Amino acid sequence: MRRAILHIAQPSEAGVARVVTDLAAGQCANGDQVIVACPVTGTLWWTAARRGARVVQWDAVRSPGPALAREIAGVRRIVDMVRPDVVHLHSAKAGLAGRLAIRGRLPTVYQPHAWSFDAVSAALRTVAVQWERAGARWAHQVVCVSDGERAHGVAVGIRSRYTVVRNGVDLAWCGPPDASSREAARCRLGVRVTGPLAVCVARLCRQKGQDVLLDAWAELEKRMPQARLVLVGGGPDQSALAARASPTVGFAGAVADPRDWYIAADVVVLASRWEAGMALAPMEAMACSRPVVVTDVPGAREVLPPRHVPFAVVPLEDSAALAAAMARLLTDPVTSRALGEEAQAHIRCHYDVRRVVEHMYTVYGEARRVWATGRTA
């Protein structure tokens, strides 16, 4: 049965864009009519179109504010034009505007990609939690990417029909690098580094914790002055981070395809303060046979091979622990290489994005069934 699937997304870059693009590509390959509504800025607009989806403009900004009424009206207009069989809302803003616009009148799937109340100040947290509790009645399925993310929602009283669908990786895109590819990737990127290289692929913002990473790097470079760190991504904190970074830290800006950066690295690190289970970047890095260091956000341990946890997971906002974990891998290439190979096998065995696409059809079917009964959460 050919379905009309409408994805609505804000943000339209980084991990969310990759998740939506991979879903849209898989659904298009299965013969579905896939529509992606998103801002024209960011990478999602053209990557989804290149993979076969119909892309329509939805003007939306990240934070709620005066534009919300216009954003809600935009969702209504798009839904009336597309007439989808199911609507899949991605991230907090699409979840807000989309649920207020549709109000359960169509089968609706909401995927937070990290809960909204983790991204706001303490003063706004109560309001954000109250909204997520209220808005749950207009989602026929809520998709979390880890058991930890689901438990986090349940703990604050969000009652809904949850399904855990862990992120997947496009294994063809992450194809195993050959023995010389690290140097070849550095050459393609113009990175003239002969010593150890750590890479962070993430939006430059408070969530991703690059400020903590720079504190850790200041400690590490005292022990390893030949090591280099590159932050790959753009974002609102770029100027502030660049102002405090040492000369051993580089800024690559936002990139549409980070694969060469994973391959060029000796370790890939992410110092997040919160995540939707686990960010896509460490999974992609592991698929490229690179060891990772991540903070202990809810669900982060779920996608790691068990032997990796002592090497890979550090406490939140603990710059000393982060520095020690990076140094341990950067100074021990034998262990680092073994962990990377084990991580690659683990991701290829358990986290193929094609499984995500198939699982999501089950979610859509359940959303349609619940919608047809007229029940709410």
Side-chain angles (χ1 to χ4, degrees), residues 165-199:
V165 183
R166 291 177 175 82
N167 283 334
V169 174
D170 183 346
L171 299 179
W173 175 80
C174 292
D178 60 40
S180 64
S181 60
R182 179 183 278 101
E183 289 69 31
R186 292 182 183 186
C187 183
R188 287 192 296 271
L189 293 166
V191 176
R192 294 174 176 84
V193 174
T194 56
L197 176 65
V199 170

Side-chain angles (χ1 to χ4, degrees), residues 40 120 289 301 372:
V40 295
V120 298
S289 192
R301 298 166 181 255

Side-chain angles (χ1 to χ4, degrees), residues 45-259:
W45 177 271
W46 63 269
T47 56
R50 190 176 63 185
R51 301 292 290 275
R54 174 188 174 192
V55 184
V56 298
Q57 184 172 348
W58 179 50
D59 293 319
V61 296
R62 280 181 175 262
S63 301
L68 181 59
R70 174 178 54 77
E71 293 163 347
I72 293 170
V75 171
R76 292 190 183 122
R77 174 183 57 80
I78 292 166
V79 167
D80 289 343
M81 175 180 66
V82 171
R83 299 186 179 279
D85 295 308
V86 64
V87 179
H88 191 155
L89 306 172
H90 296 269
S91 211
K93 172 50 78 69
L96 174 63
R99 283 179 288 176
L100 286 173
I102 300 168
R103 295 177 184 257
R105 290 187 290 267
L106 288 170
T108 302
V109 174
Y110 171 47
Q111 187 166 353
H113 298 280
W115 290 108
S116 60
F117 47 82
D118 284 332
V120 298
S121 65
L124 293 176
R125 181 180 171 85
T126 299
V127 174
V129 169
Q130 289 174 342
W131 154 246
E132 292 292 356
R133 290 172 181 166
R137 68 184 184 273
W138 293 321
H140 301 100
Q141 285 278 289
V142 171
V143 173
C144 295
V145 300
S146 71
D147 293 324
E149 185 185 22
R150 178 188 182 280
H152 196 32
V154 171
V156 299
I158 301 170
R159 297 177 59 238
S160 192
R161 295 175 179 83
Y162 290 97
T163 301
V164 174
V165 183
R166 291 177 175 82
N167 283 334
V169 174
D170 183 346
L171 299 179
W173 175 80
C174 292
D178 60 40
S180 64
S181 60
R182 179 183 278 101
E183 289 69 31
R186 292 182 183 186
C187 183
R188 287 192 296 271
L189 293 166
V191 176
R192 294 174 176 84
V193 174
T194 56
L197 176 65
V199 170
C200 173
V201 179
R203 189 167 184 263
L204 304 181
C205 61
R206 183 176 181 276
Q207 176 193 355
K208 301 298 184 178
Q210 287 96 346
D211 56 328
V212 180
L213 176 55
L214 289 183
D215 288 341
W217 193 258
E219 181 62 30
L220 183 144
E221 65 182 352
K222 295 174 185 176
R223 291 178 273 171
M224 301 181 64
Q226 77 280 20
R228 296 294 182 269
L229 169 68
V230 176
L231 304 184
V232 181
D237 291 356
Q238 182 165 345
S239 296
L241 292 168
R244 60 181 291 188
S246 76
T248 65
V249 179
F251 290 79
V255 299
D257 187 342
R259 182 174 182 267

